[in-house]
């Protein structure tokens, strides 16, 4: 009887070893399942976007508003400089940024966003394990960059007009953008213009400035608070003395009333 006891001890050790092996295997499987679940969650968390606007389904992450004042001709050199400036701003914007472009026109029907689409991923940072970089790059080019450049080219072909209602067109464009961004103020506002306001409401050519504008207007909404203002100035040699006197004081007061804070960035398009 005394010789059988060690045998029972050895069997107990074998059972303990088997249990430990099963526990180790269970831990490995649990870790593998956890890693797999994490990968699945990561894949499923790739931001979804609206097919029409290319914006995230939760709305744009930021916005760039571009107002083009083309009521007076823009020369070829100025057009090339403008394209360079806009390309640089758009390239620097993160994916999910709404790019909203409108024009100044004497026809109110033309006010508002003529191009409004979010910048999608370019494909450069795509994860090749579960994403298709070529497909993402194609969506960026055909769905965003090419339509934007085509829209800008069409706007640059606008004919000369007798009025430049910059204030009115800017108001409509910003309001349109606020609808798309669900009330979030623009991150950046780029105004491409000679900044010579000329409309029935106020005209620098008639020596009308800020006091004239405010005398007949309602309080301005401060919807440019925190917005980075970029003025891409078009040179208009030979402007009258009234224009020179009214231009800078007017726009300084106007942008201040809208909540924007100086200093503003200035870009120059140069001569025709």
């Amino acid at each position: 009887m005394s010789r059988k006891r060690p045998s029972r001890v050895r069997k107990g050790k074998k059972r303990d070893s088997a249990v430990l092996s099963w526990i180790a295997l269970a831990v490995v499987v649990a870790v593998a399942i956890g890693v797999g679940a994490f990968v699945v969650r990561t894949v499923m968390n790739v931001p979804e976007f609206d097919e029409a606007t290319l914006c995230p389904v939760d709305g744009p992450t930021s916005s760039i508003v571009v107002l083009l004042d083309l009521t007076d001709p823009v020369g070829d050199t100025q057009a090339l400089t403008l394209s360079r400036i806009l390309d640089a701003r758009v390239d620097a914007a993160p994916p999910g940024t709404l790019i909203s472009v409108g024009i100044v026109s004497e026809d109110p029907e033309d006010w508002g966003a003529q191009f409004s689409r979010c910048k999608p991923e370019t494909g450069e940072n795509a994860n090749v394990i579960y994403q298709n970089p070529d497909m993402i790059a194609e969506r960026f080019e055909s769905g965003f960059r090419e339509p934007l450049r085509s829209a800008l080219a069409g706007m640059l072909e606008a004919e000369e007009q007798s009025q430049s209602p910059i204030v009115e067109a800017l108001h409509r464009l910003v309001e349109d953008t606020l609808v798309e961004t669900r009330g979030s103020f623009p991150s950046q506002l780029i105004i491409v213009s000679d900044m010579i306001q000329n409309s029935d409401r106020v005209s620098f050519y008639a020596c009308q400035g800020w006091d004239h504008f405010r005398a007949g207007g309602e309080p301005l909404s401060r919807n440019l608070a925190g917005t980075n203002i970029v003025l891409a100035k078009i040179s208009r040699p030979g402007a009258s003395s009234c224009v020179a006197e009214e231009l800078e004081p007017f726009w300084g007061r106007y942008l201040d009333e809208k909540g924007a804070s100086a200093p503003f960035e200035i870009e120059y398009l140069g001569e025709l």
Side-chain angles (χ1 to χ4, degrees):
M1 296 296 293
S2 60
R3 294 180 180 179
K4 296 181 180 179
R5 289 177 183 175
S7 178
R8 289 197 297 270
V9 172
R10 284 194 296 272
K11 289 180 179 179
K13 289 182 178 180
K14 290 180 179 180
R15 284 196 297 270
D16 291 344
S17 177
V19 169
L20 290 175
S21 297
W22 280 108
I23 291 175
L25 179 60
V27 170
V28 171
V29 171
V31 170
I33 292 174
V35 171
F38 173 78
V39 172
V40 171
R41 286 196 301 270
T42 301
V43 173
M44 295 303 292
N45 282 337
V46 174
E48 297 180 357
F49 59 90
D50 181 272
E51 292 287 349
T53 66
L54 300 182
C55 293
V57 293
D58 294 334
T61 56
S62 60
S63 62
I64 296 178
V65 176
V66 182
L67 180 66
L68 302 176
D69 176 11
L70 305 173
T71 53
D72 287 312
V74 174
D76 292 340
T77 301
Q78 292 175 326
L80 288 173
T81 303
L82 172 60
S83 296
R84 176 184 58 78
I85 292 172
L86 295 182
D87 280 348
R89 299 284 173 170
V90 172
D91 289 345
T97 299
L98 177 68
I99 309 298
S100 184
V101 186
I103 63 171
V104 177
S105 171
E106 59 186 6
D107 185 355
E109 293 295 325
D110 294 334
W111 298 347
Q114 297 201 6
F115 177 91
S116 183
R117 198 168 294 186
C118 281
K119 176 185 175 180
E121 294 282 355
T122 63
E124 294 179 358
N125 299 318
N127 190 318
V128 296
I129 296 177
Y130 59 84
Q131 292 179 307
N132 186 327
D134 292 337
M135 183 179 297
I136 294 173
E138 170 61 22
R139 182 172 65 237
F140 175 79
E141 290 294 335
S142 63
F144 175 76
R145 188 190 291 276
E146 291 177 5
L148 174 58
R149 288 179 172 173
S150 177
L152 290 172
M155 295 178 198
L156 287 170
E157 295 177 356
E159 297 181 355
E160 184 175 357
Q161 300 184 34
S162 60
Q163 289 191 325
S164 299
I166 305 170
V167 168
E168 296 86 341
L170 175 60
H171 173 76
R172 177 74 63 79
L173 180 58
V174 171
E175 290 298 317
D176 280 3
T177 305
L178 288 176
V179 172
E180 296 295 329
T181 60
R182 305 178 187 182
S184 297
F185 297 162
S187 308
Q188 189 171 112
L189 168 62
I190 304 172
I191 304 177
V192 182
S193 173
D194 56 17
M195 306 304 290
I196 302 176
Q197 169 71 21
N198 178 28
S199 69
D200 294 338
R201 183 172 180 182
V202 59
S203 174
F204 295 169
Y205 292 118
C207 298
Q208 297 169 346
W210 180 255
D211 291 338
H212 180 88
F213 174 75
R214 294 303 290 125
E218 299 177 357
L220 299 174
S221 57
R222 296 177 63 82
N223 53 20
L224 295 180
T227 301
N228 176 41
I229 306 295
V230 180
L231 304 178
K233 299 188 69 174
I234 299 174
S235 177
R236 300 294 184 203
S240 67
S241 58
C242 280
V243 169
E245 292 174 5
E246 302 294 351
L247 193 150
E248 289 192 13
F250 178 89
W251 287 109
R253 291 289 300 275
Y254 178 84
L255 292 172
D256 180 68
E257 289 281 331
K258 296 285 285 182
S261 300
F264 308 132
E265 292 187 54
I266 307 294
E267 301 265 14
Y268 293 96
L269 298 192
E271 302 291 339
L272 293 173

